[in-house]
Each structure stands twice: as C-alpha cells, then as structure tokens.
Amino acid sequence: MERGRIYYFSGTGNSYYCAKKIGEKLHLKVEGIRRETEAAGEMEYLGLVFPVYALGPPNIVRDFIRKLEGLEASYVFVVLTYGGAYGRALEYTRDLLKKEGVDLSYGAAVRYPDNYIIAFKVPSLEKQMKLIGDGDRKLGRILKDLAGNKKLLERDKIPMRYIPNMIYEYSAKRFRKMGKNLKADDSCISCGLCERECPTKNIVLAGKKIVFGVRCELCLRCVHICPKNSINYKNRTQNKKRYLNPRVYMVKK
Ligand SMILES: Cc1cc2nc3c(=O)[nH]c(=O)nc-3n(C[C@H](O)[C@H](O)[C@H](O)COP(=O)(O)O)c2cc1C
Ligand code: SF4
Ligand code: SF4
C-alpha cells in the first residue's frame, strides 16, 4: 500500500508551511492542488492542508475532494489555516469527504496572519510575529497528534460555528468571479514574478502587459508577492501592507 500524500493549497505560504512541516514529520510527499489534480487508490495517509475562505475550503480544494470517490485511506487528516475564525470549515470538509466515502480521522486549525486585504489590513509586524509564534506552537501540537494517529475534530468558538453553510456557498461562488477585478497598474516593472508564482497559472505577462485569465482562486498571492505592489483589487488594496509567510518567502520589498 502507498504511504500516502499531503495535498495542499496556499496563497501566501501559511498553509504551505504547515503542509511541509507535516510532510517532514510523517515522511509524506507534499503536492500542490491544481484544478486537474486527482487522487485515487489505497493509501495509509491522506492529508489536506489549506486556508479557510469564507468559513469553508477554497473552491479548488472543494472540487478536489469531490473527485476523491473510491479513494481508500486508513488515516485522513485536515489541517487548515485561518486569520480570525473558521466557523464550520472543519465540519463542512468532513461532510464533503463523507459524501465521497472518505472518513475524516483528524481535523485541526492553526491561526496565522490574515491575508484577506480586500477587506482587512495585515496586522502590524509585532502582531504578525506573535501570531506566527503562537501558530507554530499550535502546529507543533498538531504534529505530535498526527504522529500518534490521534482522532479529533476541533470546533471553532461559538457563535461562528453556527453560521450556516449557505454563507460559505454564496461567498465561494463569488470568489470565482472576483478575480476579474485584479489589475496591475503602471508601476509594474515586468519582472514576471506574478506569472511564475500564481498557483493556478492564471497570469500571463504579454509583452509589458499583465493579463489575468479565468482560473483565479482569489488566493491573493500575486497581490502580496509583487515587489512593486502593482497588483490591486479594485480600489480596496492600494496603500495596504502586504504579507507573505516569512518562513516560506524571503522576498524583501
Ligand atoms: C478569499 C479569502 C477568504 C478568506 N476568508 C477567511 C475566513 O473566512 N476566515 C478567516 O479566518 N480567514 C480568512 N482568510 C484568511 C486566510 O484563511 C488566512 O490568512 C490563511 O492563513 C492564508 O493561508 P495561505 O498563506 O496558505 O494562503 C481568507 C483569505 C482569502 C484570500
Ligand atoms: S510581479 Fe508585479 S512588477 Fe512583477 S510582473 Fe507582476 S505585476 Fe509586474
Ligand atoms: S491570479 Fe493572483 S489571486 Fe488569482 S490565483 Fe493567481 S495568484 Fe492567486
């Protein structure tokens, strides 16, 4: 039987960092989820690691789970990262997996800095370091749990847990359309970083022009990673600080 794999999605590195650490601890390969990614067969471990989007999984993760029918894994875990509240994201993911005949053994959440600068601001550097430190400590406890194949389903604090799935489903639909509002302005220096880094290959540098396609997952990596802060969402992100998980990205602006 194959030992298994961790499938992850990540915009600004928080979830990638967790996936990488868990992979090292459990000796599992780590694979980024693309729209075409599928998993099948029999395996010992199946891990899913991703950021919370509107109190649920990103669309691309939800769609990946819907293709898991027939997969058999002895120990299935979900580790999500979030910025403030994850509501029913773990229960929702457990139910999605169940529909495909996959039983969730372990689900836990790690709080890291919030990257959703369309609505919020990145925390101050001091707060970021505190959040990252606390998040890393929580990840340490999760690593021990996973190494012992512990069974658990964490629950977010009341009242976020009682927010209905409808809110997630409505927002998730909107996220797939919101990518069309991303634009690069004249400060772009055509370095090509956004094109290389977009996890869904949704950006093309055509001559000096940045062209966004229709495969955006609203992960916001392009917005946060551009060295000139040239990429913005409507007029909501101008003059806002950017965030990248410092353990993953060494980019200096
Ligand atoms: C589209 C979008 C929606 C988000 N929704 C939530 C949310 O509902 N609750 C929350 O706590 N954080 C939310 N966040 C913040 C991320 O979940 C959080 O910053 C996460 O750690 C980012 O992980 P990453 O660095 O792997 O992309 C959202 C971020 C994005 C981009
Ligand atoms: S990362 Fe920024 S500067 Fe570089 S090509 Fe993309 S938009 Fe232009
Ligand atoms: S275009 Fe930007 S926000 Fe959309 S998937 Fe690519 S990196 Fe993420």
Side-chain angles (χ1 to χ4, degrees):
M1 199 197 299
E2 197 199 314
R3 182 153 171 86
R5 200 165 280 227
I6 299 171
Y7 293 91
Y8 76 91
F9 185 72
S10 181
T12 50
N14 293 341
S15 311
Y16 173 68
Y17 180 71
C18 294
K20 191 165 99 41
K21 283 289 177 194
I22 300 168
E24 284 164 12
K25 182 81 179 178
L26 300 183
H27 308 289
L28 292 173
K29 280 191 190 144
V30 169
E31 182 177 334
I33 299 175
R34 302 261 183 109
R35 286 204 184 175
E36 53 281 5
T37 308
E38 290 185 20
E42 263 183 70
M43 53 185 75
E44 218 175 311
Y45 290 97
L46 169 71
L48 292 170
V49 184
F50 54 84
V52 170
Y53 287 180
L55 308 178
N59 287 302
I60 195 167
V61 176
R62 183 204 55 210
D63 293 351
F64 170 72
I65 293 173
R66 285 181 176 156
K67 291 184 282 183
L68 286 178
E69 197 192 338
L71 179 134
E72 284 183 34
S74 317
Y75 186 77
V76 180
F77 61 88
V78 168
V79 174
L80 50 83
T81 72
Y82 70 105
Y86 59 94
R88 299 194 70 257
L90 285 171
E91 285 110 319
Y92 189 86
T93 309
R94 174 202 58 196
D95 296 346
L96 277 177
L97 286 162
K98 186 87 191 156
K99 273 193 197 148
E100 304 311 321
V102 179
D103 287 324
L104 183 65
S105 315
Y106 182 93
V110 188
R111 187 172 180 208
Y112 275 128
D114 197 316
N115 65 2
Y116 194 61
I117 59 169
I118 292 175
F120 307 110
K121 281 186 185 162
V122 166
S124 68
L125 213 53
E126 200 187 350
K127 183 121 195 262
Q128 274 182 44
M129 293 329 289
K130 163 97 176 74
L131 282 164
I132 290 172
D134 291 348
D136 287 354
R137 273 186 288 283
K138 172 74 186 279
L139 179 60
R141 292 197 290 278
I142 291 173
L143 292 177
K144 277 194 195 141
D145 287 352
L146 294 176
N149 287 9
K150 188 172 169 175
K151 296 213 167 194
L152 174 80
L153 188 75
E154 277 191 349
R155 286 168 195 273
D156 198 3
K157 53 190 178 298
I158 296 164
M160 296 310 284
R161 266 193 61 218
Y162 294 105
I163 292 183
N165 293 346
M166 266 163 54
I167 306 252
Y168 161 71
E169 279 150 17
Y170 170 78
S171 309
K173 256 193 206 140
R174 280 188 63 229
F175 288 154
R176 279 246 159 106
K177 295 182 188 149
M178 284 168 71
K180 70 177 188 310
N181 297 319
L182 291 169
K183 296 213 166 40
D185 64 30
D186 292 347
S187 61
C188 167
I189 52 168
S190 308
C191 69
L193 190 61
C194 54
E195 182 188 50
R196 289 194 297 280
E197 284 285 336
C198 170
T200 64
K201 302 284 164 225
N202 187 51
I203 301 178
V204 176
L205 177 59
K208 291 200 161 201
K209 204 171 162 2
I210 298 296
V211 182
F212 292 89
V214 292
R215 292 163 65 91
C216 181
E217 295 290 333
L218 210 66
C219 75
L220 301 187
R221 189 185 300 174
C222 55
V223 174
H224 289 278
I225 209 167
C226 171
K228 293 288 171 190
N229 295 355
S230 308
I231 301 181
N232 285 289
Y233 181 89
K234 288 188 172 173
N235 62 353
R236 308 251 194 99
T237 55
Q238 283 81 355
N239 305 319
K240 283 189 183 169
K241 283 210 172 63
R242 291 351 195 205
Y243 168 78
L244 291 169
N245 185 300
R247 309 266 202 282
V248 178
Y249 294 97
M250 304 305 228
V251 182
K252 286 205 177 89
K253 291 199 183 169

